[in-house]
Every structure is written in C-alpha cells, then in structure tokens.
Amino acid sequence: MAVHNRTKKIYIISLFLLIIFLTVSLCTGRYPMTIQEIGHILSGRGTDETAKSVFFTLRLPRTVMAFIAGAGLSMAGSIYQDIFRNPLAAPDLIGVTSAAGAGAAFAIVYFGQNAGAAVGSAFAGGLIAVGAAVALAGMSRQK
C-alpha cells in the first residue's frame, strides 16, 4: 500500500510541475504576458492584437510542440528501458542515434540543404538500425 501512495504522490507532483512549466512557457518571452492576459486571449475578451498574435503564432505552438516532443522522447525512452530491461537503456545502445545521424548526413550530401530529406533519411536510418538489431537478435535466438 505504501508503494501505491508513493506512486500516486509522484504523479500528482509531476502533473503540478507540468502545469507550472507550461504556464511559464506561455508567459515568458521577449513580449511578456501575464496569466490574466492569457486568460483574456483564450476567453475572447478585449485584448491587444499584438498580444493575440504573439500568443497564437509563437507561444502556444512553441509550448504545444515542446510538450509533444517531451512526451514522445519520454515514451521512447521508457520503451527502450522496457525492451532491454535496463533502466539506463538509451537509443544509442543499439546504434539508432548513429544510424540516424548517418542517414541525415547521407541526405545532406546527396540532396543538399533539403530539411525534409534530412529528416526522412534520419528516420529511415534509425529504422534500419532497429530492424538490423531485431534481425540479429532473432538469429541469435534460433541457435
């Protein structure tokens, strides 16, 4: 029962910290905003057009993308740790990071400064590394 209560406290504290950091991210920048201004913008009450523009074109997309990227990275790390049954496991353990870098370098050399090609090739390189690791693991289990 003590473990359940501890886990529950950790989740509550994590959620509280997430809300605080999301709020700080929405409020900070070159054009400072208060929580009240953000509340007025979201409710549609009279606010400055510059504040609306800054909020909807800069602050909100930045905060949402940071949240999505953090969630994705944490899920990927958790999956790696679960697969390898190792709390210190990371993508570079089986070469995914190096293969993604090689894929991006390949795209830069052959396709120039095309960001889409670099991202796609980096993703493909990472997938190839994962596929190779899974295939090698399967071959070693058959012996």
Side-chain angles (χ1 to χ4, degrees):
M1 198 64 139
V3 173
H4 178 70
N5 287 337
R6 181 174 178 222
T7 304
K8 192 174 181 181
K9 286 179 185 177
I10 290 172
Y11 282 135
I12 290 170
I13 291 169
S14 297
L15 181 64
F16 181 69
L17 288 172
L18 175 67
I19 291 169
I20 288 174
F21 288 130
L22 289 176
T23 304
V24 168
S25 176
L26 289 172
C27 292
T28 57
R30 183 171 283 207
Y31 185 84
M33 293 181 164
T34 63
I35 296 173
Q36 290 80 16
E37 285 178 300
I38 292 173
H40 290 305
I41 290 170
L42 292 174
S43 67
R45 288 190 256 159
T47 56
D48 184 13
E49 285 300 317
T50 305
K52 282 184 185 178
S53 176
V54 166
F55 181 77
F56 285 114
T57 61
L58 297 174
R59 302 281 173 83
L60 190 61
R62 173 188 70 186
T63 302
V64 170
M65 285 307 300
F67 176 76
I68 291 170
L73 289 170
S74 67
M75 285 190 297
S78 178
I79 290 169
Y80 268 100
Q81 291 171 357
D82 190 46
I83 288 172
F84 294 110
R85 292 181 183 86
N86 179 354
L88 300 176
D92 53 350
L93 182 70
I94 60 171
V96 175
T97 306
S98 299
F106 172 82
I108 291 169
V109 168
Y110 288 102
F111 301 116
Q113 297 292 327
N114 186 344
V119 170
S121 292
F123 184 71
L127 285 179
I128 290 168
V130 170
V134 169
L136 289 171
M139 288 171 38
S140 69
R141 286 185 189 161
Q142 291 175 356
K143 291 183 179 183

